[in-house]
Amino acid sequence: MSKPPASASAITVSRELEAVMRAERGRLLAVLAAGLRDLDLAEEVLQEAAVSALSHWGRSGLPASPAGWLLQVARRKAIDRMRAGQRDGQKAQALALLAEAEAEAPQEIPDERLRLIFACCHPALEPKSRVALTLRSVCGLSTPEIARAFLDTDATMGQRISRAKAKIAAAGIPFAVPASGLWPERLAAVLTTVYLIFTTGYVAGPGEPRDLCREAEFLMRLINGLRPEEPEIEGALAMMLLTGARRAARIGADGAALPPGEQPRELWDAAKLSEGRALLAQAMARRAPGPFQIKAAISDCQMAEPGPDWPQIAALYGALLAHEPTAVVRLNAAVALAEAGEPAQGLALVERLEAELSEFQPWHAARAALLARLGRPGEAAQAYDIAIKGAPTQAEALFLAKKRAALEGFA
């Protein structure tokens, strides 16, 4: 007879549960959603399973497979709900599949996140909702985290995510990877979603407990494997690899962020850099340029020898505007133009964007840098103050504070 597991303290259980949910929530939710065909129900039963874990693990000790335990309990709770008639009567097939899956403790949890991403990126949903829902469901970002990324309020973003889930349920959108004929219309939203996952992780930095950059790279490799020889997928993966190659060098010894041109190159990841450049060259050879290939090329130009190739970067941003004519891309194009030797023209272009970007922290940071370069330290200091106050990370705030301190007479 095997010895029962020892009880665990509340603190131990809470920490273990938090770690499992942080690492496995996306995979667990994807498995449940694929079986239940109901994202709301999947979230509800997973949350109920987590609540049960707090008491059960405290009494009986931590299970051998905490993620497997959560999946099995969540399935049982879903079965109970369906049998109780709390959901509509169209779930008979899902119920049968759930009962079959629940009969055995899961030895290995399959990775169904790609199915979940394609469901969340269905054309029936508007683009912003697709991205927000995927970040919430697949990566477990909180509603406030997503709201910050979109410059929305928490309430607005919460309503957007709820409406998207309701629409998936009402329309019967399948949790499945689409057939090849449906790929073109779904691919751009999927790539944008994974790209935003990557950038969210990159801004947060490598010290975060949840490595969204690695998550995004994994998802993009999955997509690339499913659809080889697609230049935009190759470009998106190349962009992630080239940008990710600089990750260990992006923060200086003093804790301040470092732009690519000031980073110690010996800290760049040579393997990722080489793979990214090879993928980019492969994509460009297919002669079907797109926004992700251009972004990858910009990232590559930022790592040129002996420093960033700003004229080429400015030209690439001009090309990117043809695909993405957004205010943020225009801001980046203006900064690149200034760095290429036209600071006055760059500042003029930046200031034309005030109405659209005055609440966007990078706009104030860019304006501050250009005002300083043009010998207007008083205005630059004021702009730096606003940018520092709204900086997304401590590293970025320190970088901006150093720039402000360097303004003669305004330190």
Side-chain angles (χ1 to χ4, degrees), residues 254-267:
D254 60 357
L258 287 175
E262 299 177 19
Q263 293 173 1
R265 290 171 177 254
E266 65 272 17
L267 294 182

Side-chain angles (χ1 to χ4, degrees), residues 113-318:
R113 285 176 291 185
L114 199 56
R115 288 192 194 197
L116 184 55
I117 287 177
F118 273 101
C120 294
C121 296
H122 195 277
L125 305 176
E126 64 170 328
K128 195 171 181 178
S129 295
R130 297 174 201 167
V131 176
L133 186 58
T134 305
L135 288 172
R136 177 79 186 95
S137 301
V138 182
C139 296
L141 268 67
S142 67
T143 299
E145 286 174 322
I146 303 169
R148 281 199 298 276
F150 285 94
L151 304 179
D152 270 344
T153 65
D154 294 0
T156 299
M157 184 53 70
Q159 291 166 2
R160 177 183 297 282
I161 292 172
S162 294
R163 286 197 300 270
K165 287 192 290 189
K167 193 160 190 175
I168 286 178
I173 291 172
F175 290 86
V177 175
S180 59
L182 296 174
W183 267 80
E185 65 176 343
R186 303 278 291 280
L187 189 58
V190 169
L191 297 185
T192 300
T193 298
V194 182
Y195 173 58
L196 276 177
I197 293 169
F198 177 84
T199 54
T200 301
Y202 195 78
V203 170
E208 290 292 310
R210 181 177 48 208
D211 190 344
L212 290 183
C213 288
R214 188 170 61 181
E215 189 91 1
E217 183 182 321
F218 168 76
L219 291 170
M220 195 61 78
R221 287 187 187 278
L222 270 182
I223 299 168
N224 191 43
L226 280 170
R227 186 75 171 185
E229 302 183 4
E230 169 58 56
E232 272 298 86
I233 298 175
E234 293 171 340
L237 181 54
M239 185 276 298
M240 288 182 185
L241 293 170
L242 291 168
T243 306
R246 303 194 299 265
R247 201 173 176 199
R250 64 185 294 267
I251 307 294
D254 60 357
L258 287 175
E262 299 177 19
Q263 293 173 1
R265 290 171 177 254
E266 65 272 17
L267 294 182
W268 288 353
D269 186 323
K272 281 194 173 184
L273 183 58
S274 177
E275 184 184 4
R277 283 177 168 160
L279 262 173
L280 177 60
Q282 183 176 296
M284 292 176 70
R286 303 189 195 284
R287 298 188 177 281
F292 283 102
Q293 295 169 74
I294 296 171
K295 290 171 187 172
I298 289 171
S299 188
D300 190 20
C301 286
Q302 287 174 333
M303 305 167 85
E305 292 279 4
D309 183 349
W310 288 111
Q312 185 63 26
I313 292 172
L316 287 166
Y317 270 117

